[in-house]
Amino acid sequence: MAIGPRLDLRHTQSLVMTPQLRQAIKLLQSSNMEVSAFVEEELERNPLLERDEGNGQVPEEALAPDLPPAVAPPRDSFESTTAATMPPEDSAPLDIGDWSNVYDSEAPARGGRADFELDERGIEELAVERPRNLREELAEQVRLSFSDPAERLIAAQLIALLDGAGRLAVPDESIAEALGCEVARVAAIRARMQRFEPVGMFCRDLAECLAVQLAERNRLDPAMAALLENLEMLARRDMRGLMRACGVDAEDLADMVAELKRLDPKPGAGFDQDPTPALVPDVLMRPAPITTEDGESDWILELNPETLPRVLINRGFHARAQVGASRECRAFLTEQLQSANWLVKSLEQRAQTILKVSAEIVRRQDGFFRHGISSLRPLILRDVAEAVEMHESTVSRVTANKYIATPRGNFELKYFFTTAIGGTDGETFSAEAIRHRIRAMVDAESPDDILSDDAIVAMLKREGVDIARRTVAKYREALRIPSSVQRKREKAVPA
């Protein structure tokens, strides 16, 4: 074999991850809020993109023709992002220079004068008052409670050291040393501020916080003080030990525990919290008006128009901008047009993929929507991927951070994927359904007959579920159900 330089021609195939492909994959697994934020950035960056200000009506031609027969073909609104919705370039431009002959019959007959003499709006409509946060509320109470400037300074330092739950972890000695004052003065001011609203702030630990609230209600008797000293026994549900420590019977202990449950363990946590954003589902599901032969209706799926970013490509502006433009300007416009086309196509493919995968999930979990969680079937990504002819990774990305609104509530699409547990007769059961069954068994048990993990295993096997004891224990811990010993201690005390 000769050794020397030579030329070879080879044929290979490789997948090149372009930036557009990476971004399309990222869009597929992003939530609707993340997609909306990305589209807003593109609208600001790309001059050829415009927001579609349509009324959100779903066109009939947007029907998905390849959905399973069990699910009626849903309608979506991604057709509005195609070039077919562009106005013709030769349409007459809108003259916005003269508004003298324009009359809006639907506009409210309020205001209308430059001097505001006929403005009927109230002062409450001109400015919306921002709710005060926790530190502002406490600062207002400090101004009303303390007149000495030195005491106000100490109180302001205590407010600054508060954590999110309303606790004050810094010792009085450290605060007094930092401010150059007596420890007793800091302790006295802190004791007064513990009665501020909400009561129980500026405490060292949970026991002190509960003690302050009980003292405010005149319920801090010796028995309750002993209960606060033994909160770790309450956490272990050692009711018999608590009865001996507090010197009360079972009925009195139950009343004391109920009194503690009515207190606020974190009085500062209710402030300074942003409101929880409303969950906006990506897919809407409703029963079809036409029922089948067995009297049950099919399901209709459609994409939520509120979660679909609607963008248009201004091709007219692109054509006009190219006239007389330089080479660099034309290259820039071509790049922006390609980016806009890619974005519209990516949004359209994302919508179609979400709808297709959701339809297959609904078809396979039809029993859940009709009969409840007991009819939830085992389902894995491979089952859906084979049915919709996609890769498992694609199905995983589609179901991430996506929600569907059903007659039984809003669910994440990943909720319907559960592992299978074998049955004694070869039938399989969903792990989520088994967890629901364990919860129902524990809720139905009587104080005289507490179910152990072995007893739950025996009951499930009688129902045809072949499950191990360690699996029952794992599911019970995931459901935050105490052990049988702890439940027996808890239920030994009357509620």
Side-chain angles (χ1 to χ4, degrees):
M1 183 175 181
I3 299 177
R6 63 178 183 178
L7 295 176
D8 290 335
L9 182 62
R10 296 182 180 180
H11 223 44
T12 60
Q13 289 184 347
S14 61
L15 178 62
V16 179
M17 291 289 291
T18 62
Q20 290 81 5
L21 182 58
R22 293 193 187 96
Q23 193 63 58
I25 294 175
K26 184 178 179 181
L27 280 178
L28 193 60
Q29 65 184 5
S30 300
S31 63
N32 50 46
M33 297 183 63
E34 294 172 343
V35 172
S36 299
F38 174 77
V39 171
E40 289 295 329
E41 294 178 0
E42 289 295 315
L43 287 172
E44 295 179 359
R45 186 187 64 84
N46 195 330
L48 300 182
L49 284 176
E50 292 182 354
R51 182 181 290 104
D52 185 8
E53 303 293 348
N55 56 7
Q57 295 294 329
V58 181
E60 293 291 341
E61 61 271 12
L63 299 178
D66 53 349
L67 292 179
V71 183
R75 299 176 295 177
D76 53 42
S77 57
F78 53 73
E79 285 293 332
S80 61
T81 61
T82 60
T85 59
M86 297 295 115
E89 297 183 8
D90 55 351
S91 58
L94 178 63
D95 185 8
I96 60 174
D98 184 12
W99 288 81
S100 59
N101 60 345
V102 176
Y103 172 72
D104 187 0
S105 61
E106 298 181 358
R110 305 177 67 178
R113 288 176 57 102
D115 54 5
F116 298 101
E117 290 184 358
L118 298 182
D119 195 347
E120 300 176 359
R121 293 177 296 173
I123 188 65
E124 68 277 359
E125 298 180 61
L126 300 180
V128 179
E129 182 180 359
R130 179 183 63 85
R132 294 189 296 185
N133 56 32
L134 175 61
R135 284 173 169 77
E136 292 174 346
E137 289 284 350
L138 294 174
E140 179 67 22
Q141 297 180 62
V142 167
R143 287 191 292 270
L144 297 176
S145 302
F146 300 99
S147 58
D148 186 2
E151 293 181 344
R152 289 186 177 183
L153 177 62
I154 297 174
Q157 180 67 10
L158 296 179
I159 294 176
L161 296 175
L162 277 180
D163 61 10
R167 300 276 196 274
L168 188 62
V170 182
D172 295 342
E173 294 78 8
S174 301
I175 299 175
E177 182 180 357
L179 297 178
C181 60
E182 298 82 6
V183 178
R185 192 174 190 183
V186 174
I189 294 175
R190 186 171 69 87
R192 290 181 60 182
M193 296 179 69
Q194 287 177 347
R195 299 298 181 95
F196 282 5
E197 289 294 334
V199 179
M201 306 281 290
F202 304 96
C203 296
R204 296 279 183 254
D205 49 26
L206 176 61
E208 185 181 6
C209 175
L210 299 179
V212 171
Q213 298 181 52
L214 289 171
E216 182 72 14
R217 301 184 182 190
N218 198 21
R219 286 283 292 130
L220 188 60
D221 51 21
M224 190 67 77
L227 177 60
L228 294 179
E229 293 176 357
N230 297 274
L231 289 178
E232 70 281 355
M233 299 176 64
L234 181 60
R236 297 196 308 265
R237 294 177 172 84
D238 188 3
M239 300 304 178
R240 297 186 184 277
L242 284 175
M243 286 188 288
R244 290 192 300 268
C246 300
V248 297
D249 55 11
E251 185 176 356
D252 291 338
L253 181 60
D255 293 339
M256 294 166 61
V257 173
E259 183 75 20
L260 288 184
K261 291 181 178 179
R262 288 192 288 269
L263 303 178
D264 188 358
K266 297 180 179 180
F271 290 82
D272 302 339
Q273 289 186 351
D274 296 331
T276 304
L279 177 63
V280 181
D282 300 84
V283 183
L284 305 179
M285 174 183 173
R286 56 187 172 87
I290 302 177
T291 58
T292 58
E293 296 179 357
D294 56 358
E296 295 183 346
S297 60
D298 290 333
W299 304 108
I300 295 180
L301 297 181
E302 58 184 350
L303 295 174
N304 190 354
E306 297 182 4
T307 63
L308 291 176
R310 303 167 62 88
V311 293
L312 302 174
I313 303 176
N314 194 338
R315 300 182 184 275
F317 173 76
H318 175 262
R320 293 191 297 270
Q322 280 190 325
V323 178
S326 61
R327 179 180 301 177
E328 292 79 5
C329 183
R330 290 186 178 183
F332 171 77
L333 291 174
T334 301
E335 180 183 355
Q336 296 303 312
L337 180 61
Q338 293 176 353
S339 177
N341 287 327
W342 164 82
L343 178 61
V344 170
K345 184 178 179 181
S346 298
L347 293 176
E348 183 176 321
Q349 290 179 346
R350 178 181 181 271
Q352 292 175 343
T353 307
I354 293 175
L355 194 60
K356 193 173 184 180
V357 173
S358 302
E360 180 62 22
I361 293 175
V362 170
R363 187 184 70 82
R364 289 180 176 267
Q365 299 292 1
D366 181 72
F368 166 79
F369 300 110
R370 300 188 189 277
H371 308 294
I373 194 173
S374 59
S375 300
L376 193 65
R377 297 174 53 189
L379 186 64
I380 58 177
L381 294 173
R382 186 187 306 113
D383 299 336
V384 177
E386 292 176 353
V388 299
E389 298 180 353
M390 296 180 182
H391 196 270
E392 292 183 34
S393 61
T394 303
V395 177
S396 177
R397 293 186 180 97
V398 169
T399 55
N401 305 314
K402 311 296 188 306
Y403 293 84
I404 179 173
T406 72
R408 293 191 174 275
N410 295 337
F411 297 92
E412 189 178 7
L413 291 180
K414 282 191 176 296
Y415 172 81
F416 301 103
F417 294 93
T418 59
T419 57
I421 295 180
T424 55
D425 55 354
E427 185 182 1
T428 58
F429 298 88
S430 169
E432 186 66 27
I434 299 302
R435 282 192 286 266
H436 174 74
R437 180 61 181 142
I438 293 175
R439 166 66 74 181
M441 289 180 178
V442 173
D443 292 340
E445 66 183 4
S446 62
D448 299 331
D449 186 16
I450 303 297
L451 297 176
S452 63
D453 292 344
D454 292 328
I456 295 176
V457 169
M459 294 178 64
L460 290 175
K461 286 187 176 181
R462 286 196 295 269
E463 297 177 2
V465 181
D466 187 11
I467 190 172
R469 180 187 178 279
R470 62 179 180 275
T471 306
V472 171
K474 182 180 68 174
Y475 288 170
R476 177 178 54 76
E477 293 173 358
L479 294 171
R480 297 183 178 180
I481 298 176
S483 64
S484 58
V485 177
Q486 292 177 330
R487 299 201 308 273
K488 188 174 183 179
R489 291 175 180 174
E490 182 179 3
K491 294 185 179 181
V493 180

